[in-house]
Amino acid sequence: TVERTFSIIKPDATRRNITGKVIDKIESAGLKIVASKRVQLSREQAEGFYAAHKERGFFKDLVTFMISGPVVVQVLEGENAIAKYREVMGATNPANADAGTIRKELAESIEANTVHGSDSPEAAQTEIKFFFDDNEIVG
Ligand code: CMP
């Protein structure tokens, strides 16, 4: 099935000017970028986006990191896009990520881990709607 998933290229990547390297990994995997914008998140937006994690010990640091610079939010489309993008990203902690994945090759730490991707169809729908209107997504 053709699916859509939601991606964030995080501030560690915009800071190092390596968004193109991330995009190359995405496109080389056969995922099509059907929406994209560079934005500076507010603290309120970042807290809202990561609301599911608000009881976690790393929540405050995560939010502070995510607003430390611009991010690139995108919608990716393709066959099994949600699982495929999670494979392309690699494990949350780059120390545990497989060779060839975005996080193994590019991430700095478990927090500054270069990318976010939706973990379920429900999350993908919610996360896409958080950032994009239907008319901003062009397949
Ligand atoms: P992400 O997929 O964006 O979802 C939540 C983020 O929290 C995760 O990627 C990590 O970057 C970040 N994070 C920071 N510390 C931890 C931790 N100890 N365990 C899991 N996620 C963490």
Side-chain angles (χ1 to χ4, degrees):
T1 3
V2 174
E3 291 176 336
R4 286 177 175 173
T5 192
F6 175 75
S7 168
I8 304 179
I9 304 177
K10 296 187 180 186
D12 64 286
T14 58
R15 185 177 295 120
R16 287 178 287 156
N17 211 27
I18 58 167
T19 61
K21 290 187 181 182
V22 176
I23 289 168
D24 183 45
K25 288 281 193 191
I26 291 169
E27 293 185 335
S28 294
L31 292 165
K32 180 177 173 184
I33 298 166
V34 295
S36 184
K37 58 189 172 190
R38 181 173 170 108
V39 294
Q40 172 64 53
L41 299 181
S42 66
R43 184 169 290 275
E44 293 64 35
Q45 264 180 312
E47 287 174 350
F49 182 80
Y50 280 120
H53 295 298
K54 69 172 180 296
E55 304 304 331
R56 309 288 292 272
F58 58 78
F59 180 72
K60 193 147 197 286
D61 285 349
L62 171 64
V63 168
T64 299
F65 167 66
M66 290 299 292
I67 66 173
S68 67
V71 299
V72 179
V73 293
Q74 299 182 311
V75 180
L76 313 181
E77 186 179 87
E79 196 65 32
N80 298 317
I82 296 165
K84 181 177 279 184
Y85 190 43
R86 294 183 71 77
E87 279 181 32
V88 171
M89 290 193 295
T92 302
N93 186 343
N96 302 329
D98 289 338
T101 61
I102 292 170
R103 285 166 171 162
K104 183 65 176 189
E105 292 196 357
L106 301 173
E108 296 181 316
S109 67
I110 192 169
E111 177 176 87
N113 67 351
T114 310
V115 279
H116 165 83
S118 308
D119 64 6
S120 68
E122 297 70 33
Q125 197 184 20
T126 305
E127 293 174 359
I128 289 169
K129 282 189 184 301
F130 196 92
F131 285 103
F132 291 100
D133 291 332
D134 286 345
N135 65 7
E136 294 179 293
I137 305 171
V138 183

